[in-house]
Amino acid sequence: MTQDLTQRLAGRVAVVTGGVSGIGLASARRLAAEGATVVLADICDEATGAPVAQSLGGMFVRTDVTDPEQVDRLFALTHETYGSVDIAFNNAGISPPEDGSILETGLEAWRRVQEVNLTSVYLCCKAVIPYMVEQGRGSIINTASFVAVMGAATSQISYSASKGGVLSMSRELGVEFARKGVRINALCPGPVNTPLLTELFASDPERAQRRLVHVPMGRFAEPHEMAAAVAFLASDDASFITASEFLVDGGISSAYVTPLAD
Ligand code: NAD
């Protein structure tokens, strides 16, 4: 990060799930750089997560976001340790190869993706909202995806359905808690250069190209570009933004025909 950042998140405490990789890690770094105390929650082991959290001056809490007790403990521990929970970036998610066309995707793969991508957001919101209502202040950002608003012929049926669920749930929660000082938005990233995406395309560059052609900007996003949006939504600069479908997608969801390469 070369630019000078304001300290608009000074004194705020932020929990980031899936915080040790990709969009979560970039966002945790950005939130910390803007003054927040960050708590990283991830399913990875302590030896991987703890040094990352330490480097940001925060805490690692090993958490499987599909487990209600672990999720409750995550937010309780954060509140106990730092005295508040002001920002929750509910971001952990998976995109496994077993999830494809509905014709090939089995019930087990369907359920696993729903659990990690959608039920986890339900659990995290359910656990954190009472703290935020009590404080009269909070910003929740749930990671959905551009596939919540577009269909793909290269289907990942459970993934897309889970992200549609995250978007609707965020909208409804945003409306329900708007008068309690709690803002709840869905971040809808376009394709981002992270391990989740690169793993998917590593074996097949043609697969990546088939997607790239639809992005008006002609490239995938970088994680720090999501992090900038997360920090904005987390901050008071977004004080009138709630229940939104916050697209950071390089224009993909608005495109019919895209520009030719120069
Ligand atoms: P990533 O694979 O780099 O990071 C995901 C993190 O979530 C990992 O650290 C992983 O250990 C953690 N995680 C997985 N299962 C977990 C569980 N049960 N409990 C706790 N942590 C768990 O992925 P990313 O690309 O940074 O994706 C982050 C979010 O952004 C996901 O919800 C993903 O669906 C969404 N998203 C990604 C893209 C993209 O192109 N990369 C586009 C749109 C939306």
Side-chain angles (χ1 to χ4, degrees):
M1 187 82 43
T2 49
Q3 76 213 90
D4 286 331
L5 296 169
T6 66
Q7 293 297 295
R8 63 183 166 173
L9 300 176
R12 306 285 163 96
V13 177
V15 173
V16 179
T17 73
V20 174
S21 177
I23 297 169
L25 176 57
S27 300
R29 285 189 176 132
R30 175 80 187 229
L31 295 171
E34 296 204 35
T37 300
V38 290
V39 176
L40 300 189
D42 205 292
I43 201 166
C44 71
D45 58 26
E46 197 75 30
T48 310
V52 181
Q54 247 167 36
S55 74
L56 299 176
M59 166 169 83
F60 175 69
V61 182
R62 188 174 189 206
T63 310
D64 178 347
V65 290
T66 67
D67 181 325
E69 280 170 17
Q70 293 187 33
V71 169
D72 286 349
R73 177 176 166 270
L74 164 68
F75 290 103
L77 204 60
T78 301
H79 191 264
E80 212 177 285
T81 309
Y82 298 114
S84 69
V85 195
D86 306 293
I87 299 158
F89 181 32
N90 300 321
N91 162 77
I94 56 170
S95 174
E98 309 77 59
D99 178 26
S101 161
I102 193 167
L103 301 178
E104 284 125 33
T105 303
L107 193 54
E108 202 180 309
W110 164 272
R111 284 191 174 139
R112 179 73 193 141
V113 172
Q114 294 297 315
E115 283 284 298
V116 180
N117 290 7
L118 179 57
T119 306
S120 68
V121 176
Y122 155 80
L123 291 174
C124 287
C125 288
K126 197 174 168 67
V128 78
I129 286 173
Y131 294 109
M132 291 182 168
V133 167
E134 169 91 29
Q135 293 161 190
R137 175 175 96 172
S139 171
I140 298 177
I141 301 134
N142 296 324
T143 305
S145 167
F146 69 109
V147 300
V149 301
M150 300 178 78
T154 49
S155 183
Q156 294 176 281
I157 193 61
S158 187
Y159 183 90
S160 295
S162 72
K163 295 303 187 179
V166 170
L167 176 57
S168 319
M169 181 165 36
S170 306
R171 188 184 291 134
E172 188 141 305
L173 292 175
V175 172
E176 182 178 355
F177 293 98
R179 297 189 188 193
K180 306 280 184 197
V182 184
R183 296 183 297 102
I184 299 151
N185 291 290
L187 176 77
C188 297
V192 188
N193 254 330
T194 67
L196 184 139
L197 194 79
T198 38
E199 265 165 41
L200 202 66
F201 297 145
S203 54
D204 193 350
E206 222 179 291
R207 220 174 151 194
Q209 201 47 43
R210 181 154 183 207
R211 283 155 179 80
L212 261 178
V213 73
H214 295 288
V215 186
M217 289 195 178
R219 65 174 178 87
F220 294 143
E222 293 303 322
H224 72 84
E225 293 176 294
M226 295 305 133
V230 171
F232 167 66
L233 288 172
S235 78
D236 294 343
D237 286 339
S239 53
F240 204 56
I241 302 180
T242 198
S244 83
E245 165 187 310
F246 202 87
L247 284 156
V248 187
D249 70 349
I252 191 171
S253 62
S254 299
Y256 172 36
V257 177
T258 57
L260 289 172
D262 292 327

